[in-house]
Amino acid sequence: MLRIILAQPGSTEFDEQGRIKGTLHIPLSEHGSQQAAAVANDLLEENIQVVYSSPCEAAEQTAAALAAALSVKVKKLEKLRNLNPGLWQGKLIGEVKQRQPKVYRQWQDHPEIVCPPEGEMLESAKQRVDNTLQKLIKKHKDGVIAIVAPEPLASLIRYQLAGNELGDLWKAECACGSWESIDVETENVGS
């Protein structure tokens, strides 16, 4: 069995302002650096073999803190880039809610049917994430690995691995500096 530690990066100034980060490369805030250090401290006893990171600055900084604490390598995975929110990127979540209430509500209730203006459909991101996760699971049949990914990408990873509901991706957008453990059966993968 493979255990995947799914960690969200510490917060950025955008998170603290309630802005949509999307694929922007924004560094950790001071508070976010503290959150990354706390995640690394929490995971000291997990026997993590390698840390995989989304290609965004906050995830890379959080992954580096984790890898340094555990004396393991970080591998950046381009295919684990965050969902592209198009023209919503950089906007306040409240601004989208006020200016596009119908689309905001659809994204909250049924994100799979909404494409942010000039952004990426959820299905496209799901396929990209699923292909990447299948390769990781095939490579690591057992043991413990960590994936550091921002929201809403982390929700997609959780959905693919554990079959949980996607939930409210607007709320997920503000989740920072937390982690969870997901056990994955690998017996039938790649056969």
Side-chain angles (χ1 to χ4, degrees), residues 47-52 66-67 70 72-75 136 139-140 144-147:
N47 297 318
I48 294 171
Q49 299 156 330
V50 63
V51 177
Y52 291 97
L66 180 56
L70 301 171
V72 298
K73 291 183 179 181
V74 175
K75 295 183 180 181
L136 288 177
K139 181 176 182 176
H140 301 279
V144 183
I145 64 171
I147 299 174

Side-chain angles (χ1 to χ4, degrees), residues 10-160:
S11 64
T12 67
E13 287 185 12
F14 266 38
D15 294 305
E16 293 160 10
Q17 295 168 6
R19 292 188 182 276
I20 300 167
K21 295 179 306 293
T23 58
L24 296 174
H25 294 284
I26 303 169
L28 294 173
S29 65
E30 185 177 325
H31 180 63
S33 294
Q34 293 168 354
Q35 289 174 315
V39 167
N41 188 55
D42 284 353
L43 296 173
L44 285 174
E45 304 298 320
E46 288 294 323
N47 297 318
I48 294 171
Q49 299 156 330
V50 63
V51 177
Y52 291 97
S53 174
S54 289
C56 71
E57 195 167 349
E60 290 173 16
Q61 289 176 315
T62 301
L66 180 56
L70 301 171
S71 300
V72 298
K73 291 183 179 181
V74 175
K75 295 183 180 181
K76 181 170 68 171
L77 295 176
E78 292 297 328
K79 299 258 181 178
L80 287 184
R81 70 186 173 280
N82 206 359
L83 183 71
N84 180 357
L87 298 178
W88 290 349
Q89 195 159 259
K91 293 196 180 308
L92 293 168
I93 294 171
E95 184 180 348
V96 174
K97 182 177 182 178
Q98 182 181 15
R99 291 190 178 168
Q100 298 177 305
K102 183 178 178 185
V103 177
Y104 174 90
R105 187 73 167 150
Q106 286 176 324
W107 183 251
Q108 189 175 34
D109 295 338
H110 301 287
E112 67 280 355
I113 65 169
V114 176
C115 184
E118 297 184 30
E120 178 180 24
M121 285 293 291
L122 200 57
E123 188 58 37
S124 173
K126 278 183 188 178
Q127 289 174 3
R128 176 170 44 83
V129 166
D130 187 52
N131 290 340
T132 303
L133 290 174
Q134 290 305 316
K135 288 177 184 174
L136 288 177
I137 292 167
K138 193 173 182 178
K139 181 176 182 176
H140 301 279
K141 296 280 188 194
D142 56 21
V144 183
I145 64 171
I147 299 174
V148 181
E151 290 290 357
L153 185 75
S155 288
L156 285 177
I157 292 170
R158 186 180 308 106
Y159 172 83
Q160 298 292 84

